[in-house]
Amino acid sequence: MKIRFLGTGSAKTSLRRFHSSFLISITNHNLLMDCGDGVSSAILQQNISFASIDSIIISHLHADHYSGLASLITQMKLNQRTKRLSIFIHKSLKDFIEDYLLHSYLFLDRLGFELDIIPIEAEEEIRINESFTFISKLNSHLGKYLPKYKTDKLSFASLSFLFKEQNHSVFYSGDIGSTDDLKLFDGKIDWLITETSHIKLSELAAFLEKNNFNKVILTHIDDETEKLLEPSFKSLQKDKKQSIITASDGLILQHNS
Ligand SMILES: [Zn+2]
């Protein structure tokens, strides 16, 4: 499994980092995690071909995670893509994404490739190939809008993910509500990729004190938060500190299963 970070910034647009997105590459498949504003530029910046992306997962509908989707599909069309594209999204958001693409005049019969919007259920195991699966769970990120903005039309689904390739597992927090969401998955987790914008860094440090990971990758980083990261973890034991990586756009992590 190879993970390449395309964007490691927060919801605040920055000249230092693109919005949060990464590409997971496994045998014969490239899976894009999130596609916020500017993702097409981030992909070009990393010399990645639009055609190489086989599927996209959308974690939730804040603009820094999905609003680049119509533009990305437009790039695929303009680059004469022919191979099928799958978009995985929580089942409660499927109709909206279909409407959003329709209202962006991305008519399925004019794309030149097959576009499959696949609704996912929380806790459902999705198999991408023989050795790679992922599971999502609902987290509390959008709970702050409830109950004030609750309507029948609006979904507040926000997902965290566990990716598994053979015996290697990666927990991606997505955007979360608190460090409690970092406990959504139990069992052996090798790499933790966690956002740093919606949690207290002191609480993250306390969580890392109690839990062991081979690598902890910090992402979704505000320009202002960046300088606070290292000092927040300085009281951790040396080996824990050494396992923490502050992600930057272009960072590649490789694990040979
Ligand atoms: Zn975000």
Side-chain angles (χ1 to χ4, degrees), residues 1-4 6 21-34 43 47-57 72 76 81 83-88 128-129 132 134 163 165 252 254:
M1 181 193 307
K2 182 168 94 176
I3 297 184
R4 184 198 288 233
L6 306 180
S21 177
F22 56 85
L23 190 70
I24 302 179
S25 298
I26 46 171
T27 310
N28 298 325
H29 200 96
N30 293 305
L31 175 63
L32 178 67
M33 183 73 227
D34 281 337
I43 289 166
N47 287 317
I48 295 165
S49 145
F50 294 116
S52 70
I53 296 166
D54 297 286
S55 55
I56 299 171
I57 305 179
L72 177 56
M76 290 172 170
R81 180 190 181 98
K83 95 177 154 178
R84 169 197 172 125
L85 177 73
S86 301
I87 299 173
F88 295 100
I128 299 291
N129 68 21
F132 184 88
F134 73 86
F163 301 102
E165 189 185 38
I252 294 175
Q254 178 102 37

Side-chain angles (χ1 to χ4, degrees), residues 62-81:
H62 270 141
D64 56 319
H65 295 264
Y66 93 99
S67 68
L69 179 65
S71 176
L72 177 56
I73 290 174
T74 303
Q75 306 317 308
M76 290 172 170
K77 178 178 187 290
L78 295 174
N79 282 279
Q80 277 85 41
R81 180 190 181 98

Side-chain angles (χ1 to χ4, degrees), residues 123-141:
E123 313 208 15
E124 174 190 10
E125 184 180 68
I126 309 282
R127 180 166 291 281
I128 299 291
N129 68 21
E130 276 169 25
S131 57
F132 184 88
T133 60
F134 73 86
I135 297 177
S136 61
K137 287 196 181 182
L138 291 164
N139 65 45
S140 68
H141 179 54

